[in-house]
């Protein structure tokens, strides 16, 4: 990596996340260690939240270097990516400096966000240009799926294919081949959408906070919406992209809108650049969030909201109904929403032929790069292609649209109902539908990210209930997918798992548990609720960013509480039913562990509580890097009772290898007692939720293929289930006393409540094997019985019941 700024350092971080060695270059420090600038950037990676590193220790694998002393290291590199400031002259100087040191087959790429790749290639020696291209990561590189790949006129096609394979599989990215036009695809469309939003907000007199209330999740976009996104990206960065469009697109029909508003220029001049400086469109004063008021030029309390009438319109399930009502309404907020959608649709239609190879590339670029739930063309197609096209044409004629440029002829071709279909997506340049890429790397994606209008068929059904579907893809590996909300595990799901195990043992070689969309599972549902039917709704792009650790950690306990919805059972006095369900859960996890065919958990996203326990009992787990796994029952005053405590007790004894298991057990105890949720799959392995033998994959769309391959390998190796341990050595009452002493110190220091102490004590009793002598041998059922006993005892307490009720009502934990 050339450049240790925000993007360079974080791309290097993601490389080491993927176990790819990375060398990070920067200018030599003027004082002290010549690599001081790089070392500071690497140290900063450890502090950022959400973390760009899968585990903080990964930072140790980034090698520091500087341009003065270490250029010879470049010969070792397969790929060299430049990520310095967006100045062509600076980049040109750097290219001349590093070019003589590049290896004979090194791929040389720029991470520019919008400068011409052909223009940049002019500064690359002619004999290297065939190995030069653009590779544009989006910020933050670990979490944003999109990478745009841009060729210059001299780039070898085979080089692009090799680089795409590396980006997709090794780094887990969604690659879009972009044309060499200003700002490429995602920034071109996404920034225009933001400019249109700014224009119409000013025209209709809407405050920035109101605009953000309207342009977030309610219309399928991230919670950061418009102006909060600008603050996060950096107002100076946003302004630079706008300036690039203004300078390089003089003949664009929307050119007059490629301008930096006076209020934005004033903020930048004042050094108020957004989140990185603590002030931008928004600022935080104490606990209050304030927003800039353009009229007064000062900040006020942020309290903007969508009008109730508009909120009701946006709740309609039919996009056609939503747009019809927005279009017909005179309400300023409705007219605002119609206007920003209309102008985005209009812009994309006019520029499709110039900036993208097809409509699929444009839509996926916006979804993966800007976090929209659907791309512009998908939204248009869902709302009724012909009607929306007619309304756009009407507004162009009457001067309501931002430009008088008409829609291109292909939009209104006879019989056109959209741009996405079973045969592919429309290419305005080729004037035909284009199918998905046939590169071999995509054969690993059995079910790639689907688009509206594309075929969706998840294999052949073996059996299906209201709660689960068991199916296959034409071979003898059974796949089980849950249909419950958030893939919570109730008695109906447990029945389905048991039926799938039975089916696999009779007719299949292996069983894989895989969900068509994340999360893997938020855990046990102690109240049977109706299944959603079919596959769950596709999660919003905001929920994809929700998979970042910070949001996952904040909501982990809440999701578990919703899954552990025992309030109705408690009120109805049905504790016996709850205990029966816990017993059924334990039986099911044991069946997963001792099935006569291999069982594999294919994990993506949240895997909490009982979902984590399913993982711990399968023969293998295959998890995407962005898997957030944890036993979180403590958050609602309970303890894991689906075999999680039992498995940790067993693993502690096995890892001790005849020595003292207490150090191992203490680590596992702390994970359970603090409801620790992993920051990544790598972190889950460090905690112990995942084992050394479990696999971690970078691309979620390759997850099923790799999980099936793991299952196949186990089956073809003559799989037999593990032998049941005849005697598990437990630490007994002496270790329980030691842990209680530790808890007592926390209690007396007011770091925990008396009820926290009770919960911790009961976890210790289970994991240490109960009131027995140290070194006593017990079996798994003994530990399972202890789990169930202490779970039910906690559930019967008023304080645990209060915690559950409070969490369900407020979404916040109760400290009692």
């Amino acid at each position: 990596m050339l450049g240790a700024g925000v993007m360079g350092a974080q791309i290097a971080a993601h490389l080491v996340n993927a176990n790819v060695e990375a060398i990070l270059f920067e200018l030599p420090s003027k004082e002290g260690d010549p690599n001081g600038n790089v070392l500071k950037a690497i140290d900063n990676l450890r502090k950022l939240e959400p973390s760009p590193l899968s585990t903080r220790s990964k930072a140790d694998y980034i090698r520091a270097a500087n341009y003065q002393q270490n250029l010879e290291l470049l010969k070792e590199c397969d790929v060299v990516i430049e990520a310095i400031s967006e100045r062509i002259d600076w980049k040109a100087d750097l290219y001349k400096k590093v070019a003589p040191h590049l290896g004979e087959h090194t791929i040389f790429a720029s991470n520019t966000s919008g400068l011409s790749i052909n223009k940049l290639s002019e500064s690359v020696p002619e004999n290297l240009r065939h190995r030069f291209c653009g590779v544009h990561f989006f910020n933050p590189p670990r979490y944003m799926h999109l990478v745009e790949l841009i060729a210059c006129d001299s780039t070898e096609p085979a080089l692009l294919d090799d680089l795409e394979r590396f980006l997709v599989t090794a780094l887990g990215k969604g690659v879009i081949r972009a044309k060499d036009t200003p700002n490429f695809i995602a920034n071109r469309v996404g920034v225009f959408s933001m400019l249109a939003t700014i224009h119409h907000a000013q025209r209709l007199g809407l405050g920035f906070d109101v605009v953000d209330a309207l342009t977030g999740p309610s219309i399928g976009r991230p919670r950061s919406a418009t102006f909060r996104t600008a603050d996060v990206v950096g107002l100076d960065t946003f302004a630079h992209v706008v300036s690039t469009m203004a300078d390089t697109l003089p003949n664009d029909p929307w050119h007059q809108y490629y301008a930096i508003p006076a209020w934005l220029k004033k903020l930048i001049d004042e050094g108020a650049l957004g989140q990185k400086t603590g002030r931008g469109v928004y600022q935080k004063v104490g606990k209050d969030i304030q927003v800039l008021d353009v009229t007064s030029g000062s900040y006020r309390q942020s309290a903007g909201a969508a009008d109730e009438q508009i909120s009701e319109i946006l709740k309609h399930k039919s996009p056609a109904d939503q747009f019809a009502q927005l279009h017909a309404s005179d309400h300023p907020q409705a007219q605002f929403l119609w206007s920003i959608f209309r102008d985005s649709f209009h812009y994309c239609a006019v520029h499709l032929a110039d900036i993208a190879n097809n409509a699929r590339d444009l839509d996926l670029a916006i979804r993966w790069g800007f976090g929209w739930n659907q791309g512009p063309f998908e939204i248009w197609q869902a709302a009724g292609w012909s009607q929306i096209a007619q309304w756009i044409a009407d507004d162009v004629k009457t001067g309501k649209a931002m430009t008088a440029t008409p829609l291109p002829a292909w939009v209104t071709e006879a019989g056109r109902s959209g741009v996405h279909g079973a045969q592919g997506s429309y290419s305005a340049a080729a004037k035909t539908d284009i199918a998905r890429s046939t590169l071999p790397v995509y054969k690993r994606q059995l079910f790639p990210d689907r688009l509206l209008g594309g075929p969706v068929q998840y294999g052949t059904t073996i059996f299906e209930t209201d709660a689960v579907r068991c199916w296959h893809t034409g071979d003898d590996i059974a796949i089980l997918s849950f249909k419950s909300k958030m893939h919570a595990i109730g008695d109906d799901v447990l029945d389905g798992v048991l039926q799938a195990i039975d089916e696999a043992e009779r007719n299949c070689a292996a069983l894989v548990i895989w969900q068509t969309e994340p999360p893997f599972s938020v855990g046990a549902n102690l109240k049977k609720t109706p299944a959603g039917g079919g596959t769950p709704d596709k999660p919003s792009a905001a929920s994809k960013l929700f998979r970042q650790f910070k949001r996952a950690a904040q909501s982990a306990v809440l999701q578990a509480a919703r899954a552990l919805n025992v309030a109705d059972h408690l009120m109805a006095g049905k504790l016996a039913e709850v205990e029966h369900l816990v017993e059924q859960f334990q039986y099911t996890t044991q069946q997963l562990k001792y099935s006569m065919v291999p069982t594999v958990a294919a994990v993506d996203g949240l895997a909490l509580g009982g979902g984590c326990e399913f993982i711990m009992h399968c023969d293998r787990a295959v998890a995407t890097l962005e898997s957030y796994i944890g036993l979180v029952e403590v958050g609602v005053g309970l303890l894991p009772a689906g075999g999680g405590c039992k498995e940790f007790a067993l693993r502690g004894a096995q890892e001790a290898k005849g020595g003292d298991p207490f150090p191992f057990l203490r680590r596992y105890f702390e994970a359970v007692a603090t409801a620790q949720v992993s920051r990544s799959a790598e972190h889950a392995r460090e905690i112990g939720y995942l084992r050394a033998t479990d696999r971690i994959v970078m691309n979620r769309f390759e997850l099923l293929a790799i999980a099936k391959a793991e299952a196949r390998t186990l089956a073809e190796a003559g799989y037999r289930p593990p032998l049941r341990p005849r005697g598990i050595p437990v630490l007994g009452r002496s270790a329980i006393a030691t842990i209680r002493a530790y808890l007592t110190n926390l209690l007396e220091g007011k770091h925990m409540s008396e009820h926290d102490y009770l919960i911790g004590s009961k976890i210790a009793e289970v994991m240490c094997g109960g009131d027995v002598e140290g070194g006593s041998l017990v079996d798994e059922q003994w530990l399972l019985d202890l789990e169930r006993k202490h779970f039910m005892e906690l559930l019967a307490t008023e304080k645990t019941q209060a915690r559950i009720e409070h969490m369900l009502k407020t979404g916040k934990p109760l400290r009692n």
Side-chain angles (χ1 to χ4, degrees):
M1 286 303 309
L2 305 180
V6 172
M7 287 301 292
Q10 293 200 42
I11 294 170
H14 194 59
L15 288 167
V16 295
N17 287 342
N19 294 329
V20 176
E21 293 184 44
I23 304 173
L24 184 59
F25 278 82
E26 188 48 271
L27 293 169
S29 178
K30 294 179 180 179
E31 298 178 357
D33 188 331
N35 289 330
N37 291 329
V38 179
L39 294 173
K40 182 179 178 180
I42 294 172
D43 186 58
N44 190 51
L45 292 172
R46 298 183 176 95
K47 303 172 184 176
L48 292 176
E49 291 292 349
S51 178
L53 299 159
S54 59
T55 64
R56 285 186 172 87
S57 62
K58 286 285 188 178
D60 298 335
Y61 296 92
I62 301 175
R63 188 172 177 182
N66 67 80
Y67 301 122
Q68 184 173 305
Q69 299 173 312
N70 307 119
L71 287 177
E72 73 280 356
L73 297 177
L74 293 174
K75 289 191 183 296
E76 304 173 12
C77 299
D78 296 315
V79 181
V80 172
I81 302 174
E82 166 269 308
I84 67 170
S85 297
E86 293 287 80
R87 288 270 301 268
I88 286 184
D89 54 340
W90 291 2
K91 291 178 187 289
D93 288 343
L94 180 61
Y95 294 176
K96 291 173 184 176
K97 180 181 292 187
V98 303
H101 301 277
L102 297 178
E104 184 179 351
H105 301 291
T106 299
I107 297 172
F108 188 31
S110 174
N111 183 58
T112 178
S113 60
L115 298 178
S116 169
I117 299 301
N118 277 298
K119 182 67 176 176
L120 290 174
S121 74
E122 293 174 5
S123 300
V124 177
E126 190 170 352
N127 66 320
L128 294 179
R129 287 180 192 169
H130 66 290
R131 291 187 270 133
F132 182 74
C133 64
V135 53
H136 179 211
F137 288 81
F138 277 67
N139 190 20
R142 170 181 165 184
Y143 300 98
M144 299 306 292
H145 191 56
L146 177 64
V147 170
E148 291 174 317
L149 192 57
I150 313 100
C152 70
D153 291 340
S154 302
T155 309
E156 284 184 2
L159 175 146
L160 292 175
D161 292 348
D162 289 343
L163 189 53
E164 184 165 353
R165 180 175 64 249
F166 169 74
L167 292 166
V168 170
T169 292
L171 300 189
K173 295 304 174 185
V175 173
I176 297 295
R177 300 275 186 109
K179 297 183 178 183
D180 188 23
T181 55
N183 292 336
F184 314 128
I185 301 175
N187 276 345
R188 178 79 176 270
V189 174
V191 170
F192 170 77
S193 177
M194 294 175 73
L195 290 171
T197 299
I198 291 170
H199 168 73
H200 291 298
Q202 182 176 350
R203 178 176 68 84
L204 293 164
L206 300 181
F208 295 149
D209 51 343
V210 173
V211 170
D212 279 350
L214 290 167
T215 58
S218 61
I219 62 168
R221 298 184 187 177
R223 294 184 185 279
S224 55
T226 301
F227 294 105
R228 283 192 294 271
T229 294
D231 271 355
V232 170
V233 169
L235 298 183
D236 55 336
T237 302
F238 174 69
H240 172 79
V241 176
V242 174
S243 296
T244 299
M245 295 170 73
D247 294 342
T248 56
L249 297 167
N251 300 319
D252 190 293
W254 285 268
H255 183 266
Q256 64 176 306
Y257 300 102
Y258 299 161
I260 301 170
W263 60 265
L264 178 56
K265 186 177 186 304
K266 184 173 184 292
L267 285 175
I268 294 172
D269 290 344
E270 293 172 352
L273 306 180
Q275 184 174 283
K276 59 188 173 186
T277 61
R279 182 167 76 91
V281 176
Y282 291 90
Q283 68 175 4
K284 189 172 184 180
V285 179
K287 295 184 178 180
D288 296 331
I289 303 297
Q290 297 182 344
V291 64
L292 180 68
D293 186 294
V294 174
T295 304
S296 67
S298 59
Y299 288 85
R300 59 170 173 79
Q301 187 71 19
S302 176
D307 187 89
E308 185 177 345
Q309 174 187 340
I310 306 305
S311 295
E312 288 302 312
I313 292 175
L314 296 177
K315 288 178 183 177
H316 281 274
K317 292 185 177 181
S318 166
D321 289 344
Q322 285 184 10
F323 275 87
Q325 293 189 47
L326 291 174
H327 180 263
S329 175
D330 293 328
H331 194 292
Q333 292 185 9
Q335 283 302 297
F336 166 77
L337 288 173
W338 161 246
S339 297
I340 65 170
F341 276 115
R342 174 201 63 210
D343 292 327
S344 291
F345 297 159
H346 190 191
Y347 190 87
C348 291
V350 168
H351 287 301
L352 177 60
D354 301 326
I355 67 174
N357 292 317
N358 55 69
R360 176 181 54 254
D361 286 354
L362 189 149
D363 275 349
L364 290 178
I366 290 298
R367 280 167 48 176
W368 294 344
F370 275 74
W372 290 21
N373 208 23
Q374 291 182 308
F377 286 125
E378 287 183 287
I379 299 169
W380 182 353
Q381 184 168 326
W385 186 269
S386 297
Q387 180 62 78
I388 296 294
Q390 183 61 57
W391 286 338
I392 294 172
D394 292 344
D395 282 1
V396 169
K397 288 180 182 178
T398 58
K400 292 181 180 179
M402 291 172 71
T403 177
T405 301
L407 287 167
W410 65 262
V411 171
T412 53
E413 288 174 343
R416 178 168 298 285
S417 60
V419 290
H420 302 304
Q423 303 306 311
S425 297
Y426 185 70
S427 169
K431 302 186 187 313
T432 187
D433 289 343
I434 303 293
R436 289 180 183 261
S437 172
T438 58
L439 284 177
V441 67
Y442 293 109
K443 292 180 180 179
R444 296 161 61 92
Q445 297 188 11
L446 302 182
F447 301 99
D449 204 355
R450 65 179 185 263
L451 285 160
L452 181 76
V456 180
Q457 178 58 47
Y458 292 101
T460 301
T461 300
I462 298 173
F463 73 84
E464 186 168 8
T465 70
D466 288 341
V468 303
R469 177 173 178 256
C470 188
W471 51 287
H472 64 79
T473 58
D475 54 25
D476 58 354
I477 295 179
I479 303 165
L480 184 68
S481 302
F482 303 167
K483 294 161 61 177
S484 51
K485 185 176 182 180
M486 299 292 282
H487 306 133
I489 305 166
D491 58 352
D492 48 359
V493 171
L494 295 174
D495 288 341
V497 173
L498 292 172
Q499 186 177 347
I501 293 171
D502 180 65
E503 177 69 32
E505 288 181 332
R506 287 187 292 108
N507 299 312
C508 302
L511 174 65
V512 173
I513 301 177
W514 175 81
Q515 316 298 3
T516 58
E517 298 288 349
F520 178 75
S521 175
V522 295
N525 183 0
L526 298 185
K527 175 184 177 184
K528 184 176 179 180
T529 54
T535 57
D537 291 339
K538 187 177 181 67
S540 68
S543 73
K544 293 178 181 178
L545 292 179
F546 165 81
R547 291 182 299 164
Q548 297 175 13
F549 171 76
K550 185 174 181 180
R551 291 183 180 174
Q554 287 174 339
S555 63
V557 176
L558 173 59
Q559 298 293 356
R562 286 175 175 161
L564 290 164
N565 185 6
V566 299
D568 290 350
H569 291 78
L570 296 173
M571 292 175 65
K574 297 180 179 179
L575 287 178
E577 292 184 18
V578 176
E579 183 166 12
H580 172 72
L581 182 55
V582 174
E583 193 170 9
Q584 183 187 8
F585 204 112
Q586 292 178 338
Y587 176 75
T588 304
T589 56
Q590 289 294 92
Q591 290 300 106
L592 280 171
K593 183 173 183 177
Y594 294 111
S595 166
M596 294 304 296
V597 295
T599 57
V600 176
V603 186
D604 184 29
L606 292 171
L608 306 175
C612 176
E613 288 170 312
F614 269 19
I615 295 167
M616 295 173 74
H617 284 81
C618 285
D619 293 295
R620 287 286 187 279
V622 179
T624 63
L625 184 73
E626 303 311 327
S627 294
Y628 306 107
I629 305 171
L631 296 171
V632 297
E633 289 83 352
V634 165
V636 286
L638 295 168
L639 57 76
C645 291
K646 178 266 298 180
E647 277 299 297
F648 270 158
L650 177 58
R651 291 181 188 184
Q654 291 172 336
E655 290 166 12
K657 297 179 180 178
D660 182 9
F662 187 78
F664 304 96
L665 199 66
R666 177 169 180 168
R667 178 166 60 93
Y668 293 145
F669 167 81
E670 289 175 350
V672 176
T674 59
Q676 192 171 5
V677 178
S678 70
R679 295 169 176 261
S680 66
E682 288 277 8
H683 188 215
R685 180 179 279 160
E686 286 188 357
I687 296 169
Y689 297 132
L690 295 181
R691 298 153 294 197
T693 54
D694 293 329
R695 291 283 302 279
I696 296 174
V697 301
M698 299 299 291
N699 196 316
R700 63 176 293 254
F701 297 107
E702 295 182 352
L703 176 63
L704 180 58
I706 296 171
K708 288 185 63 181
E710 284 287 305
R712 174 71 63 197
T713 298
L714 289 169
E716 291 183 350
Y719 175 82
R720 295 290 300 173
L723 296 173
R724 295 177 186 264
R726 293 191 175 184
I728 304 168
V730 294
L731 292 170
R733 61 177 70 94
S734 61
I736 295 171
T738 300
I739 294 175
R740 281 179 175 161
Y742 165 71
L743 296 175
T744 298
N745 289 334
L746 294 176
L747 178 63
E748 291 177 349
K750 297 185 178 179
H751 298 296
M752 63 165 44
S753 69
E754 290 186 1
H755 197 56
D756 293 328
Y757 176 88
L758 175 65
I759 297 166
S761 295
K762 289 188 174 296
I763 294 170
E765 287 191 46
V766 176
M767 295 181 71
C768 294
D771 187 19
V772 297
E773 289 292 332
S776 297
L777 299 180
V778 302
D779 59 15
E780 287 181 291
Q781 191 58 51
W782 173 273
L783 294 171
L784 290 171
D785 291 344
L786 283 174
E787 276 189 352
R788 191 171 66 256
K789 171 181 178 291
H790 290 293
F791 179 96
M792 296 307 301
E793 287 178 358
L794 285 171
L795 189 57
T797 64
E798 290 183 4
K799 290 188 175 181
T800 285
Q801 293 176 21
R803 288 190 180 193
I804 294 171
E805 184 177 2
H806 187 269
M807 177 65 77
L808 291 170
K809 284 183 177 180
T810 68
K812 299 177 181 179
L814 174 65
R815 185 78 182 275
N816 60 356

